C-alpha cells in the first residue's frame, strides 16, 4: 500500500498533544549535546527543531514517509545545516544515511505493522549501548473513538493501526536485541472543543487513513457523524512509552 500523505499545514495548526509527547521523549533521551539523533516519523520537524536545541554540537537525521510532512519540515528547518531530512518507509530496511547515536520517535509506530521487524530495523541504525526512546499508541488507544466510528457507519477495521500491550512491546524489543527495556502504558485522554476544532482534529490527526479511501463529501459526513457519536469531545489516547538500550 502506498504511504499515506498528510495535510501538513492543517496538522501544524491544531492543538496537538504531540507537542507535549515530543518534549517528554526529548527529555528522556538524556543527551550530552554532541550526538546524532535519528527522529523516525519526524512529521513537520517540530521535534527535530526541539532536539537540535539540546544538541549544540550534534545533528539530527529526521525521517518520514510523507512528502508533505517533509516539505513542511524543510520550511521549518530552512537554514539549519545540522539536520538531514530523509524520505523513507519504516516498513522497509532503512537507507544507510539513517544512522545515529540515539533514536527517538513520537506518535508514529502504531502506523507501522510488525513491531518486532520495526525494532530490528531501528536496532540496525544504532551502535551497541545507544539509547532508544519512543512513544506511540498502545493497547486500548482510541478504543472509544473506534466504537464511535462503528456507530457512525465507519469501516469495521478502522485502520491498520497496531496497538500492542506492554508484554508484546517488551518482547519485540528484546527479540530485536535491545536490553534495559522499560515500557509503560499511559492513559492520556485529550479534550477538544465540539464543532470545528474536534472535527478538524479527527479529520487531520485520527482519520486520515480512513478518509483516504472515501470521496471527500462522504469523508466529511463520516467525520461529522463520528464526532456526534462521541459521548464527550474527548480522544481517548493511551500511549506506549518505551525506553531501551541497543
Ligand atoms: C501522527 S504523525 C507524527 C509526526 C510527528 N512525530 C509529531 O509528533 O508531530 C505520524 C507520522 O508518521 C509517519 N509515518 C507513518 N507511517 C510511516 C512509514 N511506514 N514510514 C515512514 N513514515 C511513516 C507519517 O508520515 C507521519 O508524519
Amino acid at each position: 500500500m502506498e504511504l499515506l500523505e498528510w495535510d501538513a499545514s492543517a496538522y501544524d495548526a491544531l492543538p496537538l498533544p504531540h507537542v507535549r509527547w515530543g518534549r517528554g521523549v526529548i527529555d528522556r533521551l538524556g543527551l550530552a549535546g554532541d550526538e546524532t539523533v535519528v527522529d523516525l516519523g519526524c512529521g513537520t520537524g517540530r521535534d527535530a527543531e526541539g532536539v537540535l536545541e539540546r544538541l549544540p554540537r550534534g545533528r539530527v537525521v529526521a525521517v518520514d514517509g510523507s512528502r508533505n510532512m517533509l516539505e513542511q519540515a524543510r520550511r521549518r528547518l530552512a537554514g539549519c545545516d545540522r539536520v538531514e531530512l530523509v524520505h523513507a518507509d519504516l516498513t522497509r530496511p532503512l537507507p544507510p544515511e539513517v544512522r545515529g547515536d540515539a533514536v527517538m520517535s513520537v506518535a508514529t509506530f502504531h502506523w507501522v505493522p510488525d513491531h518486532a521487524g520495526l525494532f530490528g530495523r531501528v536496532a540496525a541504525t544504532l551502535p551497541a549501548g545507544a539509547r532508544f526512546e519512543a512513544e506511540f499508541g498502545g493497547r486500548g488507544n482510541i478504543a472509544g473513538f473506534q466504537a464511535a466510528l462503528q456507530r457512525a457507519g465507519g469501516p469495521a477495521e478502522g485502520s491498520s493501526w497496531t496497538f500492542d500491550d506492554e508484554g508484546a512491546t517488551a518482547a519485540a524489543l528484546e527479540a530485536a536485541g535491545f536490553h534495559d527495556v522499560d515500557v509503560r502504558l499511559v492513559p492520556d485522554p485529550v479534550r477538544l472543543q465540539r464543532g470545528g476544532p474536534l472535527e478538524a482534529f479527527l479529520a487531520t490527526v485520527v482519520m486520515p487513513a480512513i478518509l483516504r479511501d472515501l470521496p471527500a463529501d462522504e469523508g466529511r459526513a463520516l467525520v461529522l457523524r463520528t464526532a456526534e457519536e462521541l459521548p464527550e469531545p474527548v480522544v481517548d489516547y493511551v500511549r506506549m512509552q518505551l525506553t531501551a538500550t541497543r
Side-chain angles (χ1 to χ4, degrees), residues 3 6 11 18 41 43 46 64-66 69 88-90 106-108 111:
L3 284 172
W6 291 66
Y11 184 86
H18 306 56
R46 180 199 64 244
D64 207 278
S66 159
M69 289 299 221
D89 180 354
L90 299 177
V106 178
T108 295
W111 292 99

Side-chain angles (χ1 to χ4, degrees), residues 180-198:
D180 293 336
V181 165
D182 182 17
V183 293
R184 294 92 54 188
L185 263 185
V186 183
D188 192 358
V190 167
R191 181 170 289 271
L192 294 144
Q193 210 184 313
R194 277 230 184 257
L198 173 64

Side-chain angles (χ1 to χ4, degrees), residues 28 134-139 141 163-170 182-186 238-242:
R28 290 193 295 275
E135 84 80 51
F136 47 99
R139 177 60 57 89
N141 193 51
F163 297 140
D164 279 342
D165 62 17
E166 288 145 310
T169 302
D182 182 17
V183 293
R184 294 92 54 188
L185 263 185
V186 183
V238 180
R239 311 309 293 177
M240 177 71 73
Q241 297 177 355
L242 76 76

Side-chain angles (χ1 to χ4, degrees), residues 105-121:
S105 183
V106 178
T108 295
F109 289 164
H110 52 269
W111 292 99
V112 181
D114 176 20
H115 284 178
L118 169 65
F119 296 153
R121 293 188 288 282

